[in-house]
Amino acid sequence: MGDNESGIVTASAPGKIILFGEHAVVYGRPAIAVPVFQVRAEATIQQRAGNVQIDAADIARRYDLRDAPPDDPIATMVTRTCARLGVAPRDFAISIHSTIPVARGLGSGAAVSVAIGRALAKFYATEDTESTERGKSRSNSVSPVPSVAALSVEEISALAYEVEKLHHGTPSGIDNTVIAYEQPVYFVRDQPIESFRVARPFLIAIADTGVAAPTKIAVGYVRRAWQADRARYEALFDQIGAIARNARAAIERGDVDALGPLLNANQTLAREIGVSSLEIETLVDAALRAGARGAKLSGAGRGGNVIVLVDEGNREEIARALMEAGARRVIVTRVS
Ligand code: MEV
């Protein structure tokens, strides 16, 4: 079955950053996100008789699927994916490992969900192709698994989106989309996914403030502020949306020089909508002083990661400046 003959399958999913447009994307404006392959979430499924056991070692949790609270994201993804596949969740153990830091704007929740969806699709798809004949030779204690088809990328993304709703009530869907499709996306809520051409690759340094900031809190704050002053927030979201549109055009024509000022303009607006923080501002400032062309928060803000446009020539120097200013770690990703 699956990756090898011992009934074990593994699947993984990358992290992500939002280059332009976070928060405004929740309110229907466009945003741009890209996958980050240096960090990944991984799900391993092992055939084993009985109730489903979940092992989330990174967060020191080991539990039975039946005992999970209704809003448990891992259990929800397992249950919903199995329902979509038309199988009863039983006779396997699932373990999750992730190198994506939690609540840092890198899409850890969505990546875990996508990895689980992929692993389950693989686990049961292999059952399908290997048919019931092999099932007969298995231990009697393991119930036969009905034939199922593998899930499409779109289906896995949709399942992960349902789980995203548990993390925060009004997700735009950008995180699950960029992570499931593993390519740059120009995303507008409730519209077909658009990928786009990166005419000239560019480098982004991702610097961790070290502050965990759950998406739910920042998104909830913005919602309350929007409810209190819709005209002002709608105008801010319009400006952020215009930046995302301009950034897409710049990326498509290979105009990397235009991206720095657009990142800075987006950061100014993020500050105005109330999702920046002292730690974010400190890292943005350090990057710009060290010669970066642009920098901004990425994801929900209030902590998490800062992204910085760097060049081959200055990436080391800027990474050093970010670490000296308090970054917990810096990784550099190539957008191409
Ligand atoms: C989170 O990565 C991005 C936000 O815009 C929320 C969302 O789009 O669901 C803050």
Side-chain angles (χ1 to χ4, degrees), residues 16 18 21-26 105 168 170-175 215 219 299-300:
K16 71 91 194 29
I18 296 188
E22 50 275 275
H23 288 291
V25 68
V26 174
H168 64 100
T170 56
S172 63
I174 191 169
D175 286 15
T215 304
V219 168

Side-chain angles (χ1 to χ4, degrees), residues 156-224:
I156 289 173
S157 181
L159 286 159
Y161 180 58
E162 292 305 309
V163 180
E164 286 290 282
K165 290 181 186 166
L166 299 175
H167 291 294
H168 64 100
T170 56
S172 63
I174 191 169
D175 286 15
N176 50 282
T177 301
V178 65
I179 287 167
Y181 284 83
E182 295 201 13
Q183 54 182 289
V185 293
Y186 179 81
F187 183 89
V188 182
R189 192 171 185 165
D190 300 327
Q191 288 192 17
I193 298 135
E194 289 181 53
S195 197
F196 59 93
R197 201 172 81 89
V198 179
R200 202 172 127 210
F202 53 95
L203 296 176
I204 295 285
I206 306 168
D208 192 341
T209 61
V211 178
T215 304
K216 192 174 188 164
I217 298 197
V219 168
Y221 167 82
V222 173
R223 175 137 320 247
R224 286 189 297 281

Side-chain angles (χ1 to χ4, degrees), residues 43-59:
T44 301
I45 299 180
Q46 178 153 29
Q47 191 180 348
R48 128 186 209 298
N51 298 319
V52 173
Q53 297 297 311
I54 298 171
D55 184 2
D58 300 334
I59 51 169

Side-chain angles (χ1 to χ4, degrees), residues 259-272:
L259 296 179
L262 289 169
L263 287 167
N264 293 334
N266 197 155
Q267 172 60 18
T268 301
L269 292 162
R271 194 180 298 135
E272 280 186 44

Side-chain angles (χ1 to χ4, degrees), residues 94 114 133 146 187 191 205 228 301 313:
I94 181 162
V114 169
E133 279 313 302
F187 183 89
Q191 288 192 17

